[in-house]
């Protein structure tokens, strides 16, 4: 049973330090990898019962990693099991492993750790020195300098990230701003002085001298030569199940970093072993490869490390076997005797092989079932492996701490406003308008005050709560303005929903800040559910990140709270268009904006020349950013089969949403390559911050053979015009006669304030030219209703007294439509359930009905939801940043289906 497994793992990770452990790995033997599998019930003669039992057992196995993480993430260094694409290959392997390293280096209960060896190894993943030409250059030694620089930069980058987090921690402790800056400055100075006098990239990589390579390495130059050899020559080091040398290097580096940071002789407060969870290795090839590479590393260079992580994989029974030496499955209660027994069998087999035997050595993979089995015996009372004196000192310390805690309880997180607390440099929590976020931003106090007043006005009525969950803080001026626009849009929708003639119920609007990048979403969701008993819908969600995906999945799947999503456009954030709703990752999700894939397809359909052969692709490969990946996949598909494309794909890895890293250097190389090709159109799959850097670099690169470029990108570009200053605009205008091409940017925006007036005018001209005199009622609904909705929104803006409202980037319009969609679902649920405040389930049940007669008349276009909660054939304004005027100009409306929906917006039946 699961509790038996937890008890065994508790001993392996040393969860309780003062108890004798019976389940352990030996120093000389190295570790094992556990693989959880459902029990074998074939002995049961009842086929139906067997099928049900098997399905139940498999479901328990699939859900175990998430349950274990939820229970132990606050006390153990452990990686979070997340959704992963079923892709193989080195890049996916590296991304999965980096996600593990990132979580292990940032445990919840202490300051973050530096994993420099892994960062250095990860920097080499993109290198393909087995290419004949690069191999020849490497053998001549011409790449050594660049390789050495790349390793050093990777290590420095890892240190800088940790230093920033340390500074934030210091500022939390030292409340005085002057002292906080002084203390963090001293830490930075000490680290800087220490770094200046050490042999950089030498002490940090001391592990390589004895754990990974054939001979001791005394200098950085020797290290680089050995790395080059490892990358060029497919090694003679046996590596098990066809493990690639680069994959083995990544795993060894991670194991060495874990060894450096954990264990009784390294850090007394880090004696607990890390846990690596590898869910569904039978379904995710990259995780199975990680498992096999760990097994290979344990059999060779990494066996002698002092500390090993506890690795637990999950699989269907027989779904991911090892190639040789498979072991029979055991129950968790048998681990105490089966672990030493397995090592004894391995030793005996090796001795037989030396004597001439041919039996394969038993694998280090030990299958474990969650079926029946003897429960582990309770640990022996009394002294454990440490001395009685040590335990007495520990007891005195505990009693002293408890006495201190009674006298002076630990302080609560510092408040930063009504309903808001300080967490890691962010002001997170839930505000009903009373606590103001970014109060220094013009317009933010006004709109918060209006939300508070409206909430107070309806407090005595039977209201339903709608929460807007978006990151509500930023240091970037363009992002701060877009946050203000989204809050204003939500309030304007609240006013419309609470009007005297509006359908019931009125909505109470609260603002939920999950922190930058949704990093504290769990705590914010807890605050929401605790403080808002009438919470019926969570709306918003504007960043396609893995943390956002986890938040939406938890709300819809685990808590059963409906979600209306806005500007999350990655395809990963949409339920599949199938008839089987039981497999939806987000049951109860409604989306208002088309996916990035649909945006790209609609944009290219609207102007065939954009999908021509003379193109290039520049794409960000940063892990955990679903927007970049979705846009990259869409553009790659668009270029497929186009003969004579301008230049091969160019990729970079940015360090963060708003961080440059080395991307400007990469962009200079890209611009030169594009200039030498026949490409006139550049597909850019990246964030707005890096888009700005790219278009400036492209415009500033001398290219006498080109007059202009058109950069095609996604909806994150809505903030681009506000990021470019007058000097930037002058730069992208170019000087075609002087060898500097002009650069324009086109993308499918989620909304545009000028779209409907222009489209209606086009319709009038077209139909009047035919000799007819059309009437207003002849205007198609897909034009008339959005035009009327936008006019109502503009009227509300004029009377709402919230200061200037910018509609150009579309975010006010879209967020208005998101909250309006939530209210439409609430109103329909009231009508069906005959209650004043419908339940969450009532709201979920009506989402699939919001089309045809129940369509939402959004200011961004008609919103007609499919059974999966996706917008059907949603209008997409095509916007162009004109280099001459420096303004966003509206080109026309594109439709994902290639044409507008029918007049009643009836969603056709899906067949899949």
């Amino acid at each position: 049973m699961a509790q038996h497994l937890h008890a065994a793992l508790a001993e392996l990770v040393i969860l309780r330090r003062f108890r004798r452990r019976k389940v352990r790995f030996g120093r000389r033997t190295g570790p094992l990898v556990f693989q959880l599998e459902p029990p074998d019930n074939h002995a049961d003669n009842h086929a139906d019962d067997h099928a049900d039992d098997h399905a139940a057992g498999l479901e328990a196995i699939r859900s175990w990693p998430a349950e274990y993480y939820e229970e132990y993430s606050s006390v153990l260094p452990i990686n979070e099991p997340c959704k992963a694409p079923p892709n193989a290959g080195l890049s996916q392997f590296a991304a999965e492993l980096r996600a593990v390293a990132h979580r292990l280096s940032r445990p919840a209960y202490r300051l973050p750790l530096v994993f420099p060896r892994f960062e250095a190894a990860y920097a080499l993943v993109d290198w393909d020195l087995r290419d004949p030409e690069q191999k020849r250059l490497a053998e001549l030694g011409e790449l050594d300098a660049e390789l050495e620089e790349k390793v050093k930069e990777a290590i420095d980058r890892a240190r800088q990230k940790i230093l920033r987090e340390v500074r934030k921690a210091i500022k939390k402790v030292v409340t005085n701003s002057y002292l906080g800056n002084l203390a963090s400055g001293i830490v930075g100075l000490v680290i800087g002085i220490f770094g200046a006098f050490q042999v950089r990239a030498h002490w940090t990589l001391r592990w390589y001298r004895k754990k990974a390579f054939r001979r001791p390495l005394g200098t950085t130059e020797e290290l680089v030569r050995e790395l080059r050899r490892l990358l060029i020559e497919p090694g003679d080091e046996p590596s098990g199940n066809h493990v690639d040398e680069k994959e083995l290097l990544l795993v060894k580096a991670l194991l060495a970093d874990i060894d450096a940071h954990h264990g009784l002789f390294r850090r007394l407060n880090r004696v607990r072993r890390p846990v690596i969870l590898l869910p569904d290795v039978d379904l995710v090839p990259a995780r199975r490869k990680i498992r096999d590479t760990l097994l290979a590393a344990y059999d060779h260079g990494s066996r002698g490390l002092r500390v090993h992580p506890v690795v637990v994989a999950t699989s269907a029974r027989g779904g991911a076997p090892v190639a040789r030496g498979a072991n029979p499955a055991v129950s968790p209660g048998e681990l105490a005797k089966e672990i030493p027994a397995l090592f004894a069998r391995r030793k005996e087999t090796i001795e037989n092989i030396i004597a001439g035997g041919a039996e394969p050595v038993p694998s280090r993979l030990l299958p474990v079932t969650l079926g029946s089995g003897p429960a582990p015996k309770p640990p022996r009372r009394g002294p454990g492996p440490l001395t009685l004196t040590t335990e007495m000192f520990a007891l005195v310390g505990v009693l002293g701490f408890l006495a201190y805690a009674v006298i002076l309880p630990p302080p609560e997180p510092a408040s930063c406003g009504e309903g808001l607390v300080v967490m890691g440099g962010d002001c997170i929590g839930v505000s009903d308008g009373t606590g103001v976020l970014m109060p220094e931003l013009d317009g933010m106090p006004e709109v918060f005050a209006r939300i508070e007043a409206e909430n107070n006005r309806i407090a005595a009525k039977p209201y339903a709560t709608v929460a807007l969950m978006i990151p509500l803080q930023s240091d970037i001026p363009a992002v701060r303005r877009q946050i203000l626009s989204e809050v204003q849009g939500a309030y304007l929708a609240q006013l419309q929903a609470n009007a005297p003639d509006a359908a019931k119920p009125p909505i109470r609007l609260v603002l939920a800040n999950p922190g930058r990048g949704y990093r504290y979403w769990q705590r914010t969701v807890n605050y929401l559910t605790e403080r808002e008993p009438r919470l019926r819908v969570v709306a918003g969600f504007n960043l396609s990140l893995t943390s956002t995906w986890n938040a939406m999945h938890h709300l819809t799947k685990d808590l059963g709270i409906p979600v209306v999503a806005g500007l999350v456009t990655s395809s990963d954030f949409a339920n599949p268009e199938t008839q089987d709703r039981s497999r939806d990752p987000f049951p109860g999700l409604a989306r208002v904006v088309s996916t990035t894939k649909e945006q790209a397809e609609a944009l290219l359909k609207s102007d065939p020349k954009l999908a021509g052969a003379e193109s290039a692709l520049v794409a960000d490969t940063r892990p955990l950013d679903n927007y970049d990946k979705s846009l990259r996949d869409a553009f790659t598909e668009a270029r497929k089969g186009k003969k004579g494309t301008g230049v091969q794909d160019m990729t970079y890895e940015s360090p963060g949403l708003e961080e440059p890293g080395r991307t400007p250097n990469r962009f200079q190389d890209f611009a030169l390559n594009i200039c030498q090709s026949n490409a006139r159109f550049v597909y850019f799959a990246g964030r707005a911050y890096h888009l700005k850097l790219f278009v400036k670099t492209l415009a500033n690169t001398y290219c006498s053979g080109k007059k202009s470029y058109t950069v095609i990108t996604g909806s994150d570009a809505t903030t681009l015009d506000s990021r470019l200053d007058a000097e930037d605009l002058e730069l992208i205008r170019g000087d075609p006669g002087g060898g500097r091409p002009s650069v324009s940017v086109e993308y499918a925006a989620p909304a545009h304030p000028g779209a409907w007036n222009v489209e209606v005018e086009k319709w009038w001209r077209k139909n009047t030219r035919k000799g007819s005199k059309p009437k207003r009622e002849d205007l198609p609904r897909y034009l008339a209703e959005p035009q009327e909705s936008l006019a109502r929104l503009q009227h509300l803006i004029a009377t709402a007294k919230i200061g200037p409202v910018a509609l150009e980037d579309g975010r006010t319009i879209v967020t208005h439509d998101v909250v309006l969609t939530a209210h439409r679902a609430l109103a329909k649920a009231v009508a069906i359930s005959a209650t004043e405040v419908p339940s969450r389930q009532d709201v979920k049940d009506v989402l699939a009905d919001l089309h045809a007669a129940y369509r939402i008349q959004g200011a961004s276009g008609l919103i007609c939801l499919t059974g999966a909660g996706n917008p059907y054939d949603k209008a997409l304004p095509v916007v162009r940043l004109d280099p001459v005027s420096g303004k966003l100009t509206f080109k026309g409306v594109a439709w994902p289906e290639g044409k507008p929906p029918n007049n009643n917006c009836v969603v056709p039946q899906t067949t899949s």
Side-chain angles (χ1 to χ4, degrees):
M1 304 300 268
Q3 61 266 33
H4 302 160
L5 177 63
H6 288 202
L9 292 179
E11 296 195 23
L12 283 171
V13 301
I14 318 181
L15 190 63
R16 300 170 182 85
R17 306 182 192 186
F18 300 105
R19 290 185 177 178
R20 182 179 299 278
R21 297 184 297 139
K22 293 188 176 181
V23 183
R24 62 171 67 196
F25 299 140
R27 276 290 307 278
R28 295 183 179 181
T29 57
L32 300 177
V33 173
F34 301 113
Q35 183 161 298
L36 303 189
E37 299 180 353
D40 186 2
N41 296 323
H42 283 289
D44 192 344
N45 293 325
H46 300 286
D48 292 340
D49 292 344
H50 164 67
D52 293 342
D53 291 345
H54 178 77
L58 184 57
E59 179 62 28
I61 291 294
R62 300 290 192 211
S63 61
W64 182 87
E67 294 169 358
Y68 189 81
Y69 174 82
E70 185 72 22
E71 184 171 354
Y72 291 100
S73 59
S74 62
V75 294
L76 289 177
I78 181 173
N79 66 297
E80 181 177 6
C82 298
K83 177 185 176 184
N87 300 335
L90 179 60
S91 60
Q92 185 60 36
F93 175 94
E96 283 284 320
L97 202 62
R98 193 177 202 187
V100 171
H102 178 81
R103 189 61 185 85
L104 294 185
S105 66
R106 284 158 175 78
Y109 53 90
R110 57 171 179 260
L111 289 176
L113 312 175
V114 185
F115 275 19
R117 303 160 183 81
F118 182 80
E119 289 297 327
Y122 188 84
L124 305 175
V125 167
D126 292 334
W127 283 59
D128 188 9
L129 298 186
R130 296 182 188 181
D131 177 84
E133 179 62 20
Q134 294 192 20
K135 179 177 179 178
R136 185 184 66 81
L137 293 174
E139 289 170 346
L140 294 175
E142 296 178 11
L143 295 181
D144 282 9
E146 187 174 352
L147 180 61
E148 179 179 344
E149 185 64 24
K150 193 162 187 175
V151 169
K152 290 182 178 180
E153 286 183 0
I155 298 169
D156 289 342
R157 188 163 58 247
R159 287 174 173 167
Q160 289 300 320
K161 286 182 180 178
I162 298 306
L163 180 58
R164 285 196 294 270
E165 297 186 40
V166 170
R167 283 173 173 161
K168 290 178 182 178
I170 291 175
K171 288 181 180 179
K172 280 180 58 180
V173 177
V174 185
T175 56
N176 181 282
S177 60
Y178 174 77
L179 292 178
N181 292 330
L182 178 64
S184 61
I186 291 173
V187 170
L189 178 64
V190 171
I191 294 177
I193 293 174
F194 181 76
F197 286 95
Q198 69 169 331
V199 182
R200 300 176 67 187
H202 173 62
W203 288 6
T204 305
L205 296 179
R206 60 188 178 276
W207 158 74
Y208 286 122
R209 288 181 291 175
K210 59 182 180 180
K211 297 295 184 187
F213 302 120
R214 300 169 176 171
R215 62 180 187 278
L217 302 176
T219 66
T220 303
E221 288 74 16
E222 291 175 354
L223 167 63
V224 168
R225 284 198 296 272
E226 187 65 17
L227 287 173
R228 173 163 49 80
R229 180 208 64 77
L230 184 64
L231 293 174
I232 295 174
E233 303 171 9
D236 352 80
E237 181 180 3
S239 54
N241 301 316
H242 306 290
V243 173
D244 182 84
E245 289 286 354
K246 288 186 181 180
E247 296 167 351
L248 193 60
L249 176 66
L250 281 168
V251 166
K252 285 183 175 181
L254 177 61
L255 292 175
D257 277 322
I258 291 172
D259 181 63
H261 284 297
H262 295 275
L264 185 62
F265 294 100
R266 283 155 173 75
R267 307 285 191 278
L268 288 176
N269 66 330
R270 295 179 192 153
V271 70
R272 289 171 178 160
R273 303 310 195 240
V275 177
I276 296 178
L277 300 176
L278 298 175
D280 305 332
V281 293
D282 55 329
L283 303 179
V284 184
R287 290 177 181 164
R288 183 170 181 174
K289 197 70 172 176
I290 292 174
R291 183 203 70 180
D292 293 342
T293 310
L294 281 165
L295 292 172
Y298 289 158
D299 276 335
H300 303 100
S302 299
R303 183 180 59 209
L305 297 174
R306 293 176 181 270
V307 177
H308 297 91
V310 177
V311 182
V312 185
T314 65
S315 168
R317 189 164 187 88
V322 290
R324 291 169 57 84
N327 295 302
V330 302
S331 69
E334 299 171 322
L335 287 176
K337 67 177 183 179
E338 286 296 333
I339 289 175
L342 175 56
F343 284 123
R345 292 198 302 272
R346 285 174 57 86
K347 181 179 179 182
E348 181 181 355
T349 305
I350 292 172
E351 292 173 351
N352 291 339
I353 291 174
I354 294 174
E359 181 184 357
V361 178
S363 170
R364 289 181 182 269
L365 183 74
L366 183 59
V368 180
T369 65
L370 288 185
S372 60
K377 295 180 180 179
R380 182 178 66 87
R381 302 289 180 181
L386 301 182
T387 65
L388 183 61
T389 303
T390 304
E391 292 195 4
M392 291 299 296
F393 277 116
L395 179 61
V396 170
V398 169
L399 292 175
F401 174 78
L402 291 175
Y404 172 80
V406 171
I407 298 171
L408 185 64
E412 293 293 323
S415 173
C416 50
E418 185 71 26
L420 306 171
V421 297
V422 177
M423 188 65 57
D426 286 349
C427 182
I428 70 163
V430 180
S431 172
D432 64 354
T434 310
V436 183
L437 288 144
M438 295 196 298
E440 71 282 0
L441 180 63
D442 289 343
M444 195 66 93
E446 290 82 357
V447 69
F448 268 73
R450 289 293 174 183
I451 291 171
E452 179 188 7
E454 182 64 16
N455 287 338
N456 291 337
R457 188 183 71 82
I458 65 163
K461 300 179 180 180
Y463 63 81
T465 299
V466 175
L468 178 71
M469 181 176 283
I470 59 172
L472 287 163
Q473 287 178 288
S474 177
D475 300 322
I476 312 299
V479 178
R480 289 159 70 89
R481 286 192 291 272
Q482 87 180 30
I483 292 172
L484 174 61
S485 293
E486 293 183 45
V487 175
Q488 289 173 331
Y491 169 64
L492 293 168
Q494 183 190 27
L495 280 185
Q496 191 169 336
N498 294 354
D501 57 345
K504 306 306 179 197
I507 62 174
R508 166 182 163 86
L509 178 65
V510 296
L511 305 165
N513 183 21
R516 290 170 171 84
Y518 288 85
R519 56 181 175 173
Y520 299 117
W521 66 265
Q522 291 169 306
R523 188 178 291 265
T524 301
V525 168
N526 290 340
Y527 289 151
L528 261 179
T529 54
E530 291 168 4
R531 301 174 186 174
E532 299 294 334
R534 296 189 196 175
L535 178 66
R536 294 299 181 265
V537 180
V538 179
F541 299 100
N542 57 1
L543 286 173
S544 299
L545 303 172
T546 299
S547 51
T548 318
W549 192 99
N550 292 335
M552 290 172 56
H553 179 77
H554 179 67
L555 284 164
T556 55
K557 192 82 169 180
D558 301 333
L559 301 182
I561 301 175
V563 166
V564 180
L567 290 157
V568 282
T569 55
S570 170
S571 301
D572 296 345
F573 290 76
N575 289 326
E577 290 293 345
T578 65
Q579 298 300 314
D580 184 7
R581 298 270 66 86
S582 64
R583 302 185 65 181
D584 286 349
F586 313 105
L589 169 67
R591 298 178 57 256
V592 169
V593 179
S594 301
T595 64
T596 302
K597 183 176 185 294
E598 291 171 324
Q599 292 176 19
E601 290 174 350
L603 176 62
L604 299 178
K605 286 177 184 176
S606 70
D607 190 348
K609 74 175 186 294
L610 298 180
E614 298 177 351
S615 63
L617 172 63
V618 174
D620 192 347
T621 59
R622 181 164 55 87
L624 307 182
D625 194 324
N626 306 61
Y627 170 84
D628 291 345
K629 182 183 182 303
S630 182
L631 196 58
R632 183 171 72 245
D633 293 344
F635 285 153
T636 300
E637 183 67 25
R639 299 182 76 216
K640 189 178 296 182
K642 304 291 184 183
K643 295 184 178 179
T645 49
V647 65
Q648 67 178 352
D649 296 352
M650 291 164 281
T651 60
Y652 66 97
E653 183 180 329
S654 64
L657 287 172
E658 302 282 343
E659 299 178 52
R662 297 183 63 195
T663 52
N665 307 69
R666 299 284 289 161
F667 289 163
Q668 289 177 1
D669 297 337
F670 296 168
L672 291 172
N673 291 340
I674 294 169
C675 175
Q676 296 300 317
S677 74
N678 64 344
R680 297 183 301 114
F681 300 98
V682 182
Y683 298 142
F684 186 85
R687 291 287 180 176
Y689 176 82
H690 303 105
L691 174 62
K692 170 190 172 182
L693 299 179
F694 177 70
V695 297
K696 288 174 60 179
T697 304
L698 197 59
N700 201 36
T701 301
Y702 178 82
C703 187
S704 59
K706 302 284 179 67
K707 299 297 183 184
S708 65
Y709 292 112
T710 299
V711 177
I712 306 161
T713 187
S715 57
D716 197 59
T718 52
T719 61
L720 179 62
D721 64 322
S722 61
R723 294 174 182 269
L724 298 171
D725 56 27
E727 185 178 342
D728 297 333
L729 293 172
E730 180 65 28
L731 179 63
I732 67 172
R733 290 188 187 103
D735 180 12
R740 287 198 303 107
S742 64
V743 180
S744 62
V745 180
E746 289 191 20
Y747 58 93
H752 190 275
W756 303 117
N757 287 342
V758 173
E759 290 298 305
V760 168
E761 182 62 28
K762 286 181 184 178
W763 185 89
W764 283 112
R765 287 200 307 266
K766 178 181 178 182
N767 287 273
T768 302
R769 280 202 305 267
K770 292 181 178 180
S772 61
K773 293 182 179 180
K775 300 177 182 179
R776 176 70 186 181
E777 53 265 28
D778 297 328
L779 194 64
R781 294 294 88 198
Y782 66 83
L783 294 177
E785 292 179 6
Q787 186 185 42
E788 293 165 2
S789 180
L790 184 59
R792 285 194 297 270
L793 176 60
Q794 290 169 329
H795 175 72
L796 278 174
I797 291 172
T799 59
K801 298 180 182 179
I802 54 175
V805 177
L807 297 179
E808 286 72 19
D809 66 1
R811 290 182 177 266
T812 300
I813 299 173
V814 168
T815 311
H816 163 271
D817 288 356
V818 165
V819 177
L820 207 61
T821 300
H823 181 254
R824 186 58 182 270
L826 286 164
K828 192 169 191 308
V830 165
I832 291 178
S833 64
T835 57
E836 291 185 314
V837 180
S839 68
R840 294 170 181 172
Q841 187 60 47
D842 291 335
V843 179
K844 289 173 66 175
D845 290 342
V846 304
L847 288 176
D849 299 332
L850 298 183
H851 67 101
Y854 296 102
R855 61 187 177 272
I856 296 94
Q857 299 175 6
S860 62
L862 293 183
I863 301 167
C864 312
L865 298 181
T866 68
N870 300 316
Y872 171 70
D873 203 17
K874 177 69 186 300
L876 291 166
V878 178
V879 177
R880 180 174 183 264
L881 178 63
D882 181 41
V884 177
S885 64
K887 301 292 185 181
L888 291 175
T889 59
F890 170 71
K891 289 186 63 179
V893 172
W895 304 94
E897 295 294 319
K899 61 181 181 180
N902 62 48
N903 229 16
N904 293 321
C905 199
V906 176
V907 178
Q909 177 68 35
T910 56
T911 58
S912 56

